[in-house]
mmCIF file of all heavy atoms in Angstrom:
data_model
loop_
_atom_site.group_PDB
_atom_site.id
_atom_site.type_symbol
_atom_site.label_atom_id
_atom_site.label_comp_id
_atom_site.label_asym_id
_atom_site.label_seq_id
_atom_site.Cartn_x
_atom_site.Cartn_y
_atom_site.Cartn_z
ATOM 1 N N HIS A 77 76.806 106.011 99.069
ATOM 2 C CA HIS A 77 76.262 104.986 98.164
ATOM 3 C C HIS A 77 74.981 104.374 98.721
ATOM 4 O O HIS A 77 74.624 103.269 98.357
ATOM 5 C CB HIS A 77 77.321 103.897 97.915
ATOM 6 C CG HIS A 77 77.719 103.171 99.163
ATOM 7 N ND1 HIS A 77 78.549 103.711 100.114
ATOM 8 C CD2 HIS A 77 77.375 101.951 99.638
ATOM 9 C CE1 HIS A 77 78.708 102.863 101.104
ATOM 10 N NE2 HIS A 77 78.000 101.778 100.850
ATOM 11 N N PRO A 101 69.883 104.637 93.849
ATOM 12 C CA PRO A 101 71.125 104.285 93.136
ATOM 13 C C PRO A 101 71.687 102.966 93.678
ATOM 14 O O PRO A 101 71.521 102.652 94.859
ATOM 15 C CB PRO A 101 72.066 105.454 93.453
ATOM 16 C CG PRO A 101 71.176 106.568 93.903
ATOM 17 C CD PRO A 101 70.020 105.891 94.593
ATOM 18 N N LEU A 102 72.357 102.220 92.812
ATOM 19 C CA LEU A 102 72.802 100.865 93.146
ATOM 20 C C LEU A 102 74.285 100.702 92.847
ATOM 21 O O LEU A 102 74.697 100.811 91.692
ATOM 22 C CB LEU A 102 71.998 99.859 92.318
ATOM 23 C CG LEU A 102 70.478 99.969 92.484
ATOM 24 C CD1 LEU A 102 69.760 99.307 91.322
ATOM 25 C CD2 LEU A 102 70.050 99.383 93.822
ATOM 26 N N TYR A 103 75.078 100.405 93.898
ATOM 27 C CA TYR A 103 76.527 100.306 93.650
ATOM 28 C C TYR A 103 76.902 99.011 92.943
ATOM 29 O O TYR A 103 77.984 98.910 92.357
ATOM 30 C CB TYR A 103 77.337 100.515 94.932
ATOM 31 C CG TYR A 103 77.248 99.383 95.924
ATOM 32 C CD1 TYR A 103 78.090 98.288 95.814
ATOM 33 C CD2 TYR A 103 76.341 99.411 96.971
ATOM 34 C CE1 TYR A 103 78.019 97.241 96.714
ATOM 35 C CE2 TYR A 103 76.261 98.389 97.882
ATOM 36 C CZ TYR A 103 77.103 97.303 97.742
ATOM 37 O OH TYR A 103 77.035 96.274 98.633
ATOM 38 N N VAL A 104 76.046 97.994 93.039
ATOM 39 C CA VAL A 104 76.208 96.828 92.160
ATOM 40 C C VAL A 104 75.193 97.023 91.034
ATOM 41 O O VAL A 104 73.988 96.952 91.268
ATOM 42 C CB VAL A 104 75.938 95.500 92.883
ATOM 43 C CG1 VAL A 104 76.028 94.338 91.898
ATOM 44 C CG2 VAL A 104 76.926 95.284 94.026
ATOM 45 N N PRO A 105 75.635 97.325 89.813
ATOM 46 C CA PRO A 105 74.672 97.533 88.736
ATOM 47 C C PRO A 105 74.053 96.209 88.300
ATOM 48 O O PRO A 105 74.408 95.142 88.827
ATOM 49 C CB PRO A 105 75.520 98.135 87.612
ATOM 50 C CG PRO A 105 76.929 97.821 87.937
ATOM 51 C CD PRO A 105 77.016 97.422 89.376
ATOM 52 N N GLN A 128 84.121 101.999 87.354
ATOM 53 C CA GLN A 128 83.497 102.368 88.641
ATOM 54 C C GLN A 128 84.553 102.391 89.754
ATOM 55 O O GLN A 128 84.584 103.303 90.576
ATOM 56 C CB GLN A 128 82.370 101.385 88.981
ATOM 57 C CG GLN A 128 81.688 101.690 90.304
ATOM 58 C CD GLN A 128 80.422 100.870 90.528
ATOM 59 O OE1 GLN A 128 79.557 100.781 89.667
ATOM 60 N NE2 GLN A 128 80.303 100.267 91.698
ATOM 61 N N MET A 151 81.741 104.453 93.904
ATOM 62 C CA MET A 151 80.898 103.252 93.832
ATOM 63 C C MET A 151 79.725 103.446 92.867
ATOM 64 O O MET A 151 78.643 102.872 93.052
ATOM 65 C CB MET A 151 80.384 102.862 95.232
ATOM 66 C CG MET A 151 81.496 102.358 96.132
ATOM 67 S SD MET A 151 80.990 102.040 97.839
ATOM 68 C CE MET A 151 80.131 100.483 97.697
ATOM 69 N N CYS A 153 77.783 105.850 92.577
ATOM 70 C CA CYS A 153 76.601 106.459 93.210
ATOM 71 C C CYS A 153 76.811 107.920 93.624
ATOM 72 O O CYS A 153 76.027 108.782 93.273
ATOM 73 C CB CYS A 153 76.201 105.652 94.448
ATOM 74 S SG CYS A 153 75.649 103.973 94.108
ATOM 75 N N GLY A 183 69.873 100.877 99.597
ATOM 76 C CA GLY A 183 71.003 101.023 98.678
ATOM 77 C C GLY A 183 72.215 100.228 99.109
ATOM 78 O O GLY A 183 73.136 100.007 98.310
ATOM 79 N N CYS A 184 72.252 99.824 100.401
ATOM 80 C CA CYS A 184 73.414 99.011 100.808
ATOM 81 C C CYS A 184 73.146 98.129 102.022
ATOM 82 O O CYS A 184 72.940 96.945 101.891
ATOM 83 C CB CYS A 184 74.650 99.893 101.062
ATOM 84 S SG CYS A 184 76.093 98.883 101.463
ATOM 85 N N THR A 188 72.321 93.955 102.075
ATOM 86 C CA THR A 188 73.581 93.215 102.263
ATOM 87 C C THR A 188 73.449 92.168 103.356
ATOM 88 O O THR A 188 73.788 90.991 103.163
ATOM 89 C CB THR A 188 74.716 94.210 102.592
ATOM 90 O OG1 THR A 188 74.913 95.054 101.462
ATOM 91 C CG2 THR A 188 76.004 93.490 102.941
ATOM 92 N N PHE A 329 76.412 92.950 98.530
ATOM 93 C CA PHE A 329 75.009 93.343 98.365
ATOM 94 C C PHE A 329 74.076 92.141 98.578
ATOM 95 O O PHE A 329 73.040 92.013 97.926
ATOM 96 C CB PHE A 329 74.789 93.986 96.980
ATOM 97 C CG PHE A 329 73.563 94.871 96.927
ATOM 98 C CD1 PHE A 329 73.447 95.968 97.763
ATOM 99 C CD2 PHE A 329 72.534 94.610 96.049
ATOM 100 C CE1 PHE A 329 72.321 96.786 97.728
ATOM 101 C CE2 PHE A 329 71.396 95.422 96.001
ATOM 102 C CZ PHE A 329 71.293 96.507 96.845
#
Side-chain angles (χ1 to χ4, degrees):
H77 62 284
L102 304 160
Y103 71 85
V104 176
Q128 179 170 311
M151 291 174 77
C153 295
C184 183
T188 295
F329 202 60

